[in-house]
Amino acid sequence: MFDEADPLLGRVRVLALALPDAAEKVSHGRPAFFTTKVFAYYGGSVKVDGVYRQHEQSVMVLPDPDEREALLGDERCFVPAYLGVSGWVGVDLTEDSDWQEIAELLGASYRRTAGPRRIAALDARSAAS
């Protein structure tokens, strides 16, 4: 369900795996980035009139509820099938995507799933920069 040589996946992978203790696995046919819990998926889909429409070059994250509403006002963003009801949002990617924004979205999703020790490690790393 994904191309290992996809350059956008490569960029997401670098950003996601830079977070403390982050790892990657394939879950439901897509790259998933996790610590104890998954904080991002590469690729997603939406169900339109009973048919799944793929968003192959996208990242799905779990933003803060306030941020979620703002994101869903952006045409790049979508409510993914299955995970959308739990607050997840998909963001379509292109070479011209704002990669700093994508890094921030990954970081926010990581903070919602990683646990206090890992968040402290992330904060310590940010303070040292």
Side-chain angles (χ1 to χ4, degrees):
M1 292 183 69
F2 67 96
D3 178 2
E4 189 66 46
D6 180 345
L8 300 180
L9 169 57
R11 291 185 84 165
V12 169
R13 185 175 275 145
V14 166
L15 295 171
L17 296 178
L19 297 165
D21 299 326
E24 179 181 351
K25 63 183 175 182
V26 175
S27 177
H28 306 294
R30 299 191 182 280
F33 301 93
F34 70 101
T35 57
T36 304
K37 297 179 182 179
V38 172
F39 64 89
Y41 292 92
Y42 184 76
S45 64
V46 296
K47 194 170 187 178
V48 179
D49 298 327
V51 177
Y52 288 97
R53 192 174 104 228
Q54 298 299 313
H55 289 256
E56 293 177 5
Q57 292 183 305
S58 65
V59 64
M60 294 191 305
V61 294
L62 183 60
D64 292 321
D66 293 340
E67 176 90 14
R68 182 177 195 268
E69 293 308 312
L71 286 169
L72 291 176
D74 186 319
E75 64 185 20
R76 303 168 301 147
C77 298
F78 60 95
V79 176
Y82 304 109
L83 294 175
V85 297
S86 298
W88 289 73
V89 171
V91 181
D92 286 324
L93 301 172
T94 67
E95 286 294 331
D96 296 328
S97 291
D98 179 345
W99 291 98
Q100 179 61 40
E101 176 192 29
I102 301 304
E104 290 170 6
L105 291 171
L106 289 166
S109 189
Y110 176 91
R111 287 178 179 280
R112 295 206 54 207
T113 62
R117 181 181 60 79
R118 290 184 175 103
I119 293 170
L122 180 61
D123 290 342
R125 183 185 294 175
S126 297
S129 316

